[in-house]
C-alpha cells in the first residue's frame, strides 16, 4: 500500500491535474473491484476480481515473495527433505557425495516406515522420551518459579536496581557454549572448584558428572542458570504492565501480600507467562548444547535426550545413519506439535486468546 | 530438529572453513612443466598439545626439499578429528590434502572412498620396510590407503618413587595390583591406579587380559558378550569397587594426566603419546622417576591393543602428487627418528630401530617389545564405531550403574546393530 501511495504522490506531483484524476479514477476502480470480490455474484466476476486483485496488489505479492522464498528454502525444503530421508535407508555409504572432482550418485532406497518401526520398537526410545520429559518439566518449572521470584524482587524501587538487573541478565550475554564449558570446569570431580570448596568444608567430593543422578542434577542446574535471564526479563516486563492502582485498591481493601500476588500479579501475568512457558518448553525439549557439551549424554547414556540421540545417530556412529537420525527428528517434531496443540486447546478453554 | 542438525553441521563446516582453510587458494598445484612439485599441501594433524609444536616444525621443513610446495599445518584435536574430517571430506570443498588418521579410522575412510590409494612404489616400500602389523593397519581389501606414521600400544606408567615408598614392585597382574594398592594406600594415602572410565579403548587391555576380544572378524562373530567379555566388565568394576583404581566418567584423560603428574595416583595405563606431557609434571622433573611396564595381566594373559596413526591422502585433493610426497617425507626414517628422539614416539620403519637415537630412548626401548606383542585389532570399517556403544556400557559397568552381565549383553546388542549380519 505504501508503494502505491508514494507512487501516486510522485505522479501527482509530477503530472498535475490529468494524473491526479487518473489516480482518483484508479482508486475508485479498486473499490469497485473489492466490492466485486466480496459480493456473491457469478464466477466470471469473481475470477475477474481475483485477477484484478492480483493486478492491484502485485507489489504486495512482490514484496512477500522473497520472504516466502527464503522460508521455503530454509524451512520448507529441509523439512520435506528430512521427512523423505526418514522413509529411506540413507546413510553415509549410499548418499550422493563429491570427492574432489569425482561425483558419487546416491543409491539409497525408499523403505517406507521401517525406520519408524525400528526406532519406536527399540526400548531406547522410551528411555530417552521419559528422561526428555522429566528434563523439560524440571527445567521449565524451576526456571519459571525462580524467574518469577527474581522478577518480583526486582520490580520495586531500591538502590542499585540497574546493577542487579545487569548481573542477572549476564548469563544471557555470555555465549552458551562458553558458559557450559565454564560449568564443566566447575563440575570437574577431581580438580573442579565446586569440589575444592566442598572439600574445604569437609564434605566428600561429589561426582557431579560421573554419577547418573548427579549428572542429571547438574545438567538441569546449568540449563536453569542459562534460562533464568529470559524468564526474568519477560516476566518483569509483564509485571510492569500491571497498573499500580490495582495493588493500591487491594491494599485499601485489606488484601495480604499473598492475596495480592495470587489475585492480581498471577492473572496479570497470564498472557506473558503462557507464552514464555511454551517457548521455554520447546527450547528445553530441544536443548542440544547444554547436554552435549556438559556430559555428551553420559555417564553412559543417562543424560541423553531425544535431540542428542538424533545427533548421535547422524554424526557419532559410523557410517553415519542419516535416515534413522531424520526419523528421530520427525518424531521430535511430531511430539512438539502435539504438545503445542494440546497447550493451545487448554488455553482456549480458559478463554485465553492466543 | 533436522534443522538443528543441519545448522550444527553448517556451523561446524563454517568453523572449519574459517579456522582451517580460510582464504586458502590451492590453485591447480601438482607438478609444473619441469616435473617439480608445487602448490599447497594442507595437513590436519591430531597430535596432542605436547607434540604439536614438534610436528609443525617437521612438517614445515618439507619446504626445504620442495621449495615450491607450501605446507599448511592445522592441528585438529584428536577427539573431534574423525567428525571434522568426515564433514570436510563429504562436503568436497575445503578438505585437507593429508590427514593423520587413527589406525582405527583408515578402513572406514577408505571404504567410503575418501582416501586415495598409495602410489604403487610407495605401497611396495610399506610392505617391505615397515613393521608388518603397522602396514596392516593402512590396508583395506588388500589395497594400501595410508602409510603408518607412528605405532603405539598401552603400558603401565608408574611413579618409581611412590612405589618404592610403599615397598612394592610394579605389578605384573591385576591380583598383584590389588595387593600393591593396599600398600600404597597405607603408606602414601594415595590411589594406586587411575583407570579411565570414559573411553572404551582403556577397556581393551582388560578384555584381552581375560583372553577375549571385541569381535572375531574372521568368523564374523561378536565376542564382546561372551564369557571373557563378561569377566572383563567384572574386572573393571572390581578394580574400582575394591579401591585399587580410581576412575572418572567425564574428562577422564585430563584428570588422569593431572592425577598422575601430581602424584595423586601412583600408576596409570597410557601410551607413548603421553610421555612428553607426563615429563612436564611436578613428579617427573627427574625423568628417571617415570617407569613403564607391561599392562597388568588378567586371568589369561597380558594384552594391550595396537594403536597408532597413519597418514592418508584425500581422494579429492587437487594436489595429490605433492600430498603423497609429503606423506612419504613425514614417514621417512629421518623424520621418525627425530620424533622418537623428541617425543618418545615409536617409529613404524623396521630399520629406524637400529638408529642410535632410537636405541638410546628408554621409552622406545620399552615400548618396542610391547608393540611387537600388542594385539592387532580387526581392521574393519566399523572398527571406530564399535567404541561409542562400548564406551556407554563400559562407563556404566565401571561406575556400577549396570551389572557386568547387563553391560556385556547390551554391548553385544549394539555391536550387532552396527555389524549387520554378524553372529
Amino acid at each position: 500500500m505504501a508503494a502505491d501511495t508514494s507512487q501516486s504522490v510522485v505522479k501527482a506531483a509530477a503530472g498535475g491535474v490529468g494524473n491526479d484524476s487518473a489516480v482518483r479514477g484508479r482508486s475508485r476502480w479498486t473499490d469497485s473491484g473489492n466490492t466485486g470480490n466480496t459480493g456473491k455474484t457469478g464466477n466470471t466476476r469473481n475470477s475477474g476480481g481475483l485477477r484484478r486483485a492480483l493486478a492491484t496488489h502485485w507489489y504486495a505479492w512482490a514484496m512477500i515473495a522473497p520472504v516466502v522464498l527464503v522460508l521455503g528454502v530454509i524451512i520448507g525444503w529441509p523439512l520435506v527433505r528430512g521427512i523423505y530421508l526418514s522413509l529411506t535407508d540413507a546413510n553415509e555409504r549410499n548418499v550422493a557425495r563429491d570427492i574432489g572432482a569425482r561425483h558419487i550418485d546416491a543409491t539409497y532406497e525408499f523403505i517406507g516406515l521401517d525406520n519408524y518401526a525400528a526406532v519406536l520398537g527399540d526400548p531406547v526410545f522410551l528411555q530417552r522420551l521419559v528422561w526428555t520429559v522429566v528434563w523439560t518439566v524440571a527445567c521449565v518449572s524451576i526456571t519459571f518459579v525462580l524467574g518469577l521470584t527474581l522478577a518480583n524482587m526486582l520490580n520495586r524501587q531500591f538502590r542499585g536496581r540497574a546493577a542487579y538487573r545487569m548481573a542477572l541478565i549476564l548469563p544471557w550475554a555470555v555465549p552458551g557454549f562458553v558458559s557450559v564449558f565454564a560449568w564443566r570446569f566447575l563440575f570437574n570431580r577431581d580438580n573442579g572448584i565446586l569440589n575444592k570448596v566442598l572439600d574445604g568444608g569437609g564434605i566428600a567430593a561429589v561426582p557431579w558428572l560421573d554419577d547418573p543422578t548427579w549428572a542429571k542434577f547438574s545438567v538441569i542446574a546449568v540449563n536453569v542458570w542459562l534460562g533464568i535471564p529470559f524468564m526474568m526479563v519477560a516476566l518483569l516486563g509483564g509485571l510492569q504492565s500491571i497498573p499500580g492502582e490495582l495493588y493500591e485498591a487491594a491494599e485499601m481493601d485489606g488484601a495480604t501480600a499473598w492475596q495480592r500476588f495470587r489475585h492480581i500479579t498471577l492473572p496479570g501475568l497470564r498472557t506473558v507467562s503462557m507464552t514464555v512457558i511454551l517457548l521455554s518448553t520447546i527450547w528445553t525439549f530441544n536443548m542440544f548444547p547444554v547436554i552435549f557439551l556438559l556430559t555428551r549424554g553420559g555417564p553412559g547414556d543417562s543424560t541423553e535426550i531425544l535431540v542428542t540421540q538424533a545427533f548421535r545417530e547422524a554424526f557419532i556412529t559410523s557410517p553415519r545413519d542419516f535416515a534413522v537420525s531424520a526419523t528421530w527428528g520427525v518424531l521430535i517434531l511430531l511430539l512438539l506439535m502435539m504438545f503445542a496443540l494440546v497447550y493451545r486447546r487448554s488455553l482456549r478453554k480458559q478463554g485465553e486468546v492466543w | 530438529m533436522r534443522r538443528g542438525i543441519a545448522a550444527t553441521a553448517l556451523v561446524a563446516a563454517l568453523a572449519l572453513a574459517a579456522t582451517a582453510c580460510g582464504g586458502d587458494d590451492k590453485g591447480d598445484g601438482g607438478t609444473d612443466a619441469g616435473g617439480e612439485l608445487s602448490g599447497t599441501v594442507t595437513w590436519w594433524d591430531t597430535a596432542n598439545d605436547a607434540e604439536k609444536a614438534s610436528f609443525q616444525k617437521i612438517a614445515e621443513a618439507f619446504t626445504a626439499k620442495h621449495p615450491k610446495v607450501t605446507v599448511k599445518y592445522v592441528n585438529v584435536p584428536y577427539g573431534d578429528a574423525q567428525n571434522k574430517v568426515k564433514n570436510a571430506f563429504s562436503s568436497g570443498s575445503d578438505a585437507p590434502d593429508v590427514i593423520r588418521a587413527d589406525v582405527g579410522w583408515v578402513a572406514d575412510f577408505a571404504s567410503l572412498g575418501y582416501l586415495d590409494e598409495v602410489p604403487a612404489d610407495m605401497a611396495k616400500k610399506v610392505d617391505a620396510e615397515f613393521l608388518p602389523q603397522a602396514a596392516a593397519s593402512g590396508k583395506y581389501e588388500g589395497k594400501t590407503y595410508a602409510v603408518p606414521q607412528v605405532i603405539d600400544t598401552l603400558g603401565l606408567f608408574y611413579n618409581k618413587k611412590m612405589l618404592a615408598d610403599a615397598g612394592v614392585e610394579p605389578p605384573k597382574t591385576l591380583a598383584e595390583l590389588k595387593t600393591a594398592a593396599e600398600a600404597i594406600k597405607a603408606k602414601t594415602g594415595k590411589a594406586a591406579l587411575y583407570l579411565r572410565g570414559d573411553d572404551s579403548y582403556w577397556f581393551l587391555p582388560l578384555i584381552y587380559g581375560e583372553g577375549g576380544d571385541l569381535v572375531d572378524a574372521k568368523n564374523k562373530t561378536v565376542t564382546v558378550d561372551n564369557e571373557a567379555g563378561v569377566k572383563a566388565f567384572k574386572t573393571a568394576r572390581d578394580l574400582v569397587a575394591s579401591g585399587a583404581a580410581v576412575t572418572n566418567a567425564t574428562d577422564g584423560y585430563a584428570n588422569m594426566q593431572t592425577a598422575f603428574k601430581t602424584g595423586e595416583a601412583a600408576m596409570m595405563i597410557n601410551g607413548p603419546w603421553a610421555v612428553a606431557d607426563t615429563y612436564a609434571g611436578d613428579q617427573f622433573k627427574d625423568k628417571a622417576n617415570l617407569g613403564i611396564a607391561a599392562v597388568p595381566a588378567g586371568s589369561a594373559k597380558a594384552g594391550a591393543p595396537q594403536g597408532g596413526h597413519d597418514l592418508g591422502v584425500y581422494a579429492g585433493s587437487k594436489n595429490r602428487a605433492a600430498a603423497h610426497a609429503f606423506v612419504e617425507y613425514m614417514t621417512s626414517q629421518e623424520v621418525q627418528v627425530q620424533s622418537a628422539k623428541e617425543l618418545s614416539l615409536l617409529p613404524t620403519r623396521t630399520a629406524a630401530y637400529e638408529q642410535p637415537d632410537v636405541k638410546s630412548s628408554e621409552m622406545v626401548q620399552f615400548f618396542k617389545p610391547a608393540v611387537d606383542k600388542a594385539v592387532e585389532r580387526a581392521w574393519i570399517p566399523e572398527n571406530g564405531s564399535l567404541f561409542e556403544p562400548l564406551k556407554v556400557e563400559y562407563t556404566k559397568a565401571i561406575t556400577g550403574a549396570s551389572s557386568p552381565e547387563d553391560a556385556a549383553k547390551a554391548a553385544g546388542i549394539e555391536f550387532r546393530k552396527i555389524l549387520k549380519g554378524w553372529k
Side-chain angles (χ1 to χ4, degrees):
Chain A
M1 212 55 197
D4 185 35
T5 356
S6 66
Q7 201 183 21
S8 17
V9 169
V10 171
K11 273 189 188 163
V17 188
N19 269 322
D20 192 24
S21 68
V23 169
R24 238 182 281 137
R26 184 165 147 191
S27 75
R28 259 201 308 276
W29 177 68
T30 314
D31 286 342
S32 70
N34 280 344
T35 338
N37 255 341
T38 43
K40 32 197 175 301
T41 29
N43 276 335
T44 40
R45 266 195 86 181
N46 215 346
S47 70
L50 191 71
R51 205 181 310 136
R52 267 179 299 185
L54 258 175
T56 321
H57 297 294
W58 64 270
Y59 50 85
W61 293 109
M63 287 292 144
I64 61 163
V67 179
V68 171
L69 203 71
V70 168
L71 283 182
V73 168
I74 66 171
I75 295 178
W77 171 241
L79 188 66
V80 171
R81 178 93 185 135
I83 294 172
Y84 171 69
L85 275 180
S86 73
L87 301 172
T88 67
D89 60 352
N91 66 31
E92 201 174 13
R93 289 191 198 291
N94 58 23
V95 294
R97 54 195 187 275
D98 288 304
I99 296 173
R102 195 155 61 95
H103 180 78
I104 300 175
D105 280 324
T107 52
Y108 57 84
E109 282 163 7
F110 187 84
I111 55 163
L113 294 172
D114 287 7
N115 288 326
Y116 290 90
V119 169
L120 294 173
D122 195 334
V124 171
F125 181 78
L126 197 64
Q127 285 169 25
R128 301 288 180 272
L129 181 63
V130 168
W131 161 239
T132 308
V133 170
V134 171
W135 143 265
T136 309
V137 171
C139 284
V140 173
S141 53
I142 298 172
T143 315
F144 182 75
V145 170
L146 289 178
L148 185 60
T149 315
L150 287 170
N152 267 300
M153 287 161 73
L154 283 178
N155 189 31
R156 59 189 72 203
Q157 286 300 330
F158 60 90
R159 198 185 282 269
R161 186 161 82 146
Y164 282 107
R165 282 193 188 180
M166 289 285 285
L168 286 166
I169 294 175
L170 200 66
W172 213 3
V174 181
F177 74 96
V178 175
S179 318
V180 178
F181 277 128
W183 277 97
R184 199 178 156 133
F185 285 122
L186 298 178
F187 278 137
N188 189 315
R189 192 196 63 195
D190 296 344
N191 308 302
I193 298 174
L194 283 176
N195 276 344
K196 294 263 192 264
V197 171
L198 289 179
D199 196 34
I203 300 167
V206 174
W208 296 108
L209 302 176
D210 294 345
D211 173 82
T213 314
W214 279 110
K216 286 176 177 164
F217 171 85
S218 305
V219 286
I220 291 175
V222 172
N223 194 47
V224 166
W225 186 81
L226 282 171
I228 279 182
F230 166 74
M231 221 33 126
M232 191 191 72
V233 171
L235 293 174
L236 195 53
L239 284 178
Q240 285 169 354
S241 71
I242 301 174
E245 295 83 27
L246 291 177
Y247 289 101
E248 279 171 29
E251 231 167 314
M252 298 281 275
D253 292 343
T256 62
W258 171 249
Q259 282 172 327
R260 271 176 279 152
F261 177 74
R262 172 89 179 66
H263 296 289
I264 302 174
T265 311
L266 282 186
L269 281 179
R270 184 103 155 240
T271 35
V272 177
S273 44
M274 288 302 153
T275 312
V276 292
I277 286 176
L278 179 72
L279 279 179
S280 179
T281 304
I282 292 173
W283 285 341
T284 312
F285 199 85
N286 283 340
M287 182 53 82
F288 178 80
V290 170
I291 291 192
F292 184 73
L293 296 176
L294 201 64
T295 64
R296 298 237 161 191
D301 52 5
S302 55
T303 53
E304 200 92 69
I305 58 172
L306 294 168
V307 189
T308 55
Q309 178 72 31
F311 178 83
R312 184 181 280 265
E313 300 290 345
F315 291 103
I316 294 180
T317 57
S318 178
R320 298 168 166 191
D321 200 335
F322 301 130
V324 171
S325 180
T327 308
W328 282 85
V330 172
L331 288 171
I332 292 166
L333 183 70
L334 289 177
L335 284 167
L336 282 176
M337 275 163 57
M338 259 159 53
F339 167 75
L341 283 178
V342 170
Y343 190 80
R344 227 180 88 164
R345 187 157 296 175
S346 77
L347 285 191
R348 275 229 191 100
K349 247 181 219 155
Q350 292 171 32
E352 209 67 54
V353 186
W354 187 77
Chain B
M1 222 323 299
R2 283 284 310 160
R3 268 176 289 126
I5 289 177
T8 316
L10 184 70
V11 169
L14 285 176
L16 275 181
T19 54
C21 312
D24 181 18
D25 182 16
K26 288 196 194 85
D28 282 324
T31 49
D32 63 13
E36 201 184 347
L37 295 173
S38 63
T40 305
V41 172
T42 306
W43 180 39
W44 282 12
D45 176 31
T46 55
N48 63 34
D49 287 346
E51 299 166 342
K52 65 185 183 190
S54 178
F55 274 137
Q56 177 162 15
K57 205 179 67 202
I58 292 173
E60 282 166 0
F62 182 66
T63 310
K65 297 196 173 179
H66 298 280
K68 289 193 177 163
V69 179
T70 319
V71 172
K72 205 162 165 213
Y73 176 90
V74 181
N75 188 274
V76 182
Y78 174 79
D80 312 329
Q82 194 178 8
N83 248 326
K84 283 193 174 179
V85 167
K86 279 192 164 187
N87 287 343
F89 279 0
S90 59
S91 77
S93 57
D94 286 330
D97 302 294
V98 178
I99 51 149
R100 183 186 199 237
D102 184 282
V103 287
W105 306 343
V106 175
D108 186 23
F109 291 165
S111 73
L112 291 166
Y114 291 152
L115 293 181
D116 198 31
E117 219 179 301
V118 172
D121 55 329
M122 186 63 199
K124 258 185 218 145
K125 277 190 206 160
V126 172
D127 287 337
E129 297 168 15
F130 286 65
L131 300 171
Q133 69 271 41
S137 72
K139 291 189 180 181
Y140 175 65
E141 291 185 340
K143 293 177 180 164
T144 306
Y145 286 94
V147 184
Q149 183 202 18
V150 294
I151 188 169
D152 58 47
T153 189
L154 293 172
L156 181 75
F157 285 48
Y158 61 92
N159 187 325
K160 283 184 185 164
K161 189 170 166 298
M162 284 178 78
L163 259 59
D165 287 350
V168 292
E169 291 288 311
K172 290 200 176 57
T173 63
L174 292 172
E176 281 180 39
L177 175 75
K178 282 168 86 173
T179 337
E182 279 164 29
I184 292 169
K185 192 103 198 162
K187 290 276 165 48
T188 63
K190 308 290 187 194
L193 177 72
Y194 203 112
L195 181 63
R196 273 189 86 175
D198 66 334
D199 189 333
S200 42
Y201 193 67
W202 271 251
F203 173 69
L204 294 178
L206 301 177
I207 192 167
Y208 296 152
E210 303 301 329
D213 200 342
L214 301 184
V215 293
D216 175 357
K218 214 181 274 167
N219 298 314
K220 298 208 164 196
T221 310
V222 171
T223 53
V224 70
D225 53 356
N226 65 16
E227 206 180 321
V230 175
K231 257 166 110 184
F233 280 109
K234 258 187 202 145
T235 315
R237 176 63 192 149
D238 182 49
L239 279 173
V240 173
S242 69
V246 283
T247 188
N248 198 324
T250 42
D251 282 325
Y253 192 80
N255 282 337
M256 174 170 75
Q257 281 297 111
T258 312
F260 188 66
K261 277 150 77 178
T262 55
E264 285 298 315
M267 292 176 262
M268 67 170 175
I269 290 175
N270 216 333
W273 61 83
V275 172
D277 181 46
T278 305
Y279 279 149
D282 286 348
Q283 292 279 318
F284 304 100
K285 287 218 172 83
D286 173 17
K287 289 185 178 180
N289 193 31
L290 175 63
I292 297 186
V295 292
S299 62
K301 60 168 185 174
Q306 180 203 326
H309 296 275
D310 297 353
L311 296 180
V313 171
Y314 176 43
S317 163
K318 286 180 187 153
N319 214 353
R320 276 179 290 176
H324 281 298
F326 177 73
V327 168
E328 189 162 4
Y329 159 78
M330 285 304 291
T331 54
S332 66
Q333 176 154 321
E334 171 199 358
V335 167
Q336 293 199 351
V337 169
Q338 193 179 344
S339 45
K341 187 181 160 197
E342 289 176 10
L343 305 168
S344 312
L345 294 176
L346 274 77
T348 50
R349 280 179 184 264
T350 322
Y353 287 94
E354 301 306 320
Q355 298 297 310
D357 276 339
V358 178
K359 273 192 162 166
S360 66
S361 164
E362 198 192 329
M363 294 303 144
V364 172
Q365 286 310 309
F366 164 75
F367 271 111
K368 178 61 178 40
V371 159
D372 287 341
K373 277 192 295 183
V375 182
E376 213 176 307
R377 289 188 272 151
W379 305 123
I380 49 174
E382 295 83 1
N383 196 324
S385 28
L386 296 181
F387 284 96
E388 201 46 45
L390 183 61
K391 178 183 107 178
V392 170
E393 299 309 325
Y394 172 56
T395 307
K396 280 187 185 172
I398 200 169
T399 53
S402 170
S403 75
E405 290 80 9
D406 289 347
K409 204 174 140 201
I413 291 172
E414 290 299 320
F415 277 22
R416 287 185 186 88
K417 277 191 206 162
I418 295 168
L419 301 160
K420 293 198 175 81
W422 285 42
K423 271 181 273 173

